[in-house]
Amino acid sequence: MTAAVRPVLPQRPTDRPLVMGVVNVTPDSFSDGGRYFDAAAAVAHGQQLVAQGADIVDIGGESTRPGAVRPTVAEELARVIPVVQGLADTDAWISVDTMRAEVAQAAVDAGARIINDVSGGLADPQMAAVAARTGAGFVVMHWRGHSHDMQTRAVYDDVTADVCRELADQVGAALDAGVAREQIVIDPGLGFAKTAEQNWVLLQHLSALQEMQLPVLVGASRKSFLSKVGSKDGRPVPAEQRDFATAAVSVVLAQAEVWAIRVHDVRSTFAACDVVRHLKEASDS
Ligand code: PMM
C-alpha cells in the first residue's frame, strides 16, 4: 500500500475559490489594527473565521500599511507564534504572513503550512531557503519595497505586463533556491506600490497572471482603492465599512476562478462565491 501523499497546498474546490481569512495580530493594521492584538482574542477570532468556513487562516504580526514602523523580530515572533500554536489544531490550513525567514521557520515549526511573504522572497534573502527546506506552501506576492515609501514606486509602463514579468523573476529566484513549483502561489499584491487605478487594471487583467500556470491568490479586502466604492458624497468609506465593496470584488474573483481570496470578513465572500456558483449551475443546466 502506498502512503497518502500530503498535499503541499490546499486544493481548490471545483465550484469556488478557497477563502483565506485574515488574523492581524498587530496594533496598527489599517482595517483591524488592535482588535486582535491579544493572543487569546486572535485565536478566538481565527476559530470564528474557521467556523464561518475559512479554508486558510492567515496570521500576521507586521502591519504593511503605508508608513508603518516594522516590529523587531522578537516582537513579531511574540505576536505570531502563540496564535499559530493556538490554531494549529483547527481544520483550516494555517499560513503565516511574514517577510522574515526566522518568523516563517518558527511558524512552520509551530504548525503553519503556508508561508505568505508579501515581499515574495525579496525582503529577506533567507526566505526562499526556508520555504525550500520546510516544503511549506509559498505565496510569492508582487512587491517593490517596504511600506514607508512603496507608493513612490507605483510607476509602470504597463502595470499588468510589468507585474507579471517581475513576479516571474521572483518565482524564478524561488525555484533557483530550491522551492518546488508545486509549493508556489502568486499574488498581484493589490495596494503594494500600486495606485487605485493600477489595482483596477490588475483586477481586470487577472487572466494574464493566470497564464503563468500557478495558483493565483488575490487580496483586495478593505483596501484603500475601495474607499470610493459606494460613497454617496465622495468622502472615503472607512476601512471597516468596505466589506460590501470587498464582496463585490469577490464576485469578480470567483468568476475569474482564482485559486484563493484573502479577506477579513469571510461570510460576505462566501455569499459572493455562492452567487457565482448558482449562476454557473444555471448556465450549465
Ligand atoms: N495584503 C495585506 C497583507 N498581506 N498577503 C497577500 N498574499 N496578499 C495581499 O494582498 C496582502 C497580504 C495587507 O492587508 P491587511 O493589512 O488588511 O492584512
Side-chain angles (χ1 to χ4, degrees), residues 3-42:
V5 179
R6 201 166 180 249
V8 176
L9 290 168
Q11 192 168 0
R12 181 193 189 279
T14 50
D15 55 359
R16 64 166 176 86
L18 294 161
V19 179
M20 175 189 267
V22 179
V23 177
N24 282 324
V25 198
T26 58
D28 55 349
S29 287
F30 68 93
S31 64
D32 55 0
R35 284 186 67 185
Y36 313 110
F37 195 40
D38 167 70

Side-chain angles (χ1 to χ4, degrees), residues 20 22 24 29-32 58 62-65 97 116-118 139-141 187-192 217-223 262 264:
M20 175 189 267
V22 179
N24 282 324
S29 287
F30 68 93
S31 64
D32 55 0
D58 189 38
E62 173 175 357
S63 167
T64 48
R65 70 184 293 163
D97 187 338
N116 174 24
D117 179 2
V118 297
V139 179
V140 175
M141 199 188 84
D187 182 324
L190 300 182
F192 289 79
L217 166 69
V218 182
S221 188
R222 299 184 183 170
K223 288 193 175 163
R262 181 182 183 278
H264 301 87

